[in-house]
Amino acid sequence: MIQQKFIDVQTISEVHELWGCGKPRHPLVTVIDLTKYHFLGNRDGFSYRLNFYTVFCKKFSGVLRYGRSYYDFSEGSLMFTAPGQATTPISAPPFEEGWALFFHPDLIHHSLLSQKMGQYTFFNYESNEALHVSEEEKLALLDCIRKIEKEYSQNVDKHTQVLIQNNIEMLLNYCSRFYDRQFYTREKVSTDVVQAFEKLLKDRFAQDTFINSGLPKVKIFAEQLHLSPNYLSDLLQKFTGKTTQEHIHLQLLDKAKALLLSTDRSVSEIAYILGFENPSHFTRLFKQKTGYSPSHYRDLN
């Protein structure tokens, strides 16, 4: 097995070197015009780990292969990565238009935006789960990008960092809105995913015991559906009101209740049957979800 090799990119200056676009204007944030500059760092067998949040808006003439499928990028698509994620550069046709935003976590350190970053789950989507945007949507995003560029390109004052943070937050809020739109405009595809997940979940819980396989995990269902865990959970949340983990917990509780009421097995035995390594974890989850301990639930019924 060939061990993957990584090149770590720690600074905005290193980003500019990889794109051949001169000295950066700000040490923690930059926007690169993808029609003017080209990535110079392609090296066979290497992936890059960037210590930044990145947002790429790309438009190609035609289709581009990502993962296992081909995607039409004629409308323009956005892809996101979080700090430390590994990315592998790919060859692509020339950009018709596009930009890339890079910002270091230190830019938003101790800010309200830093506390909100976990809500922007699309930073952990796969590249084939890109956000496809219309011309009107692209203009809204471009307006935020231009304001970010303006702020870091002029003389820095006490307002600069807050205004950059505000415009990044505005851009990410637009992306959240546009992803919500995409889930619903692709309703047929989304509904098929929901149905496929429900079948996988039903089949999984048809097993008599999880002693050997352990608790059902979000990652396993996502892999079977060829989706990232975050994307699957967000899609399910939009269409069912519950995340993947919440669906798993509901099924676990139903199975636990059935075992408590139809068998004389101890609570510990039932916990192990359900795949819990520690019975106290099972008891805690059961009480959290039902308001009763497993033993109390059995006595009440």
Side-chain angles (χ1 to χ4, degrees), residues 248-299:
I248 292 171
H249 283 168
L250 282 174
Q251 289 292 325
L252 273 172
L253 290 172
D254 285 346
K255 189 150 189 165
K257 290 174 181 177
L259 289 168
L260 286 165
L261 300 181
S262 64
T263 73
D264 294 325
R265 290 186 172 98
S266 69
V267 171
S268 292
E269 285 181 291
I270 291 172
Y272 289 125
I273 287 170
L274 293 174
F276 287 87
E277 294 181 2
N278 190 327
S280 64
H281 292 167
F282 165 61
T283 298
R284 187 161 55 247
L285 176 65
F286 193 94
K287 188 170 184 178
Q288 177 189 348
K289 297 296 184 181
T290 67
Y292 302 102
S293 69
S295 298
H296 192 188
Y297 180 84
R298 174 178 266 167
D299 292 341

Side-chain angles (χ1 to χ4, degrees), residues 26 29-30 47 54 61 113 132 137 146 155 172 178 209 219 230 248 252 267 277-278 284:
H26 193 286
V29 60
T30 193
S47 294
T54 72
S61 53
L113 177 57
H132 299 271
E137 290 168 343
R146 293 289 177 253
N155 292 330
L172 298 180
F178 300 157
T209 176
K219 181 180 178 182
N230 276 23
I248 292 171
L252 273 172
V267 171
E277 294 181 2
N278 190 327
R284 187 161 55 247

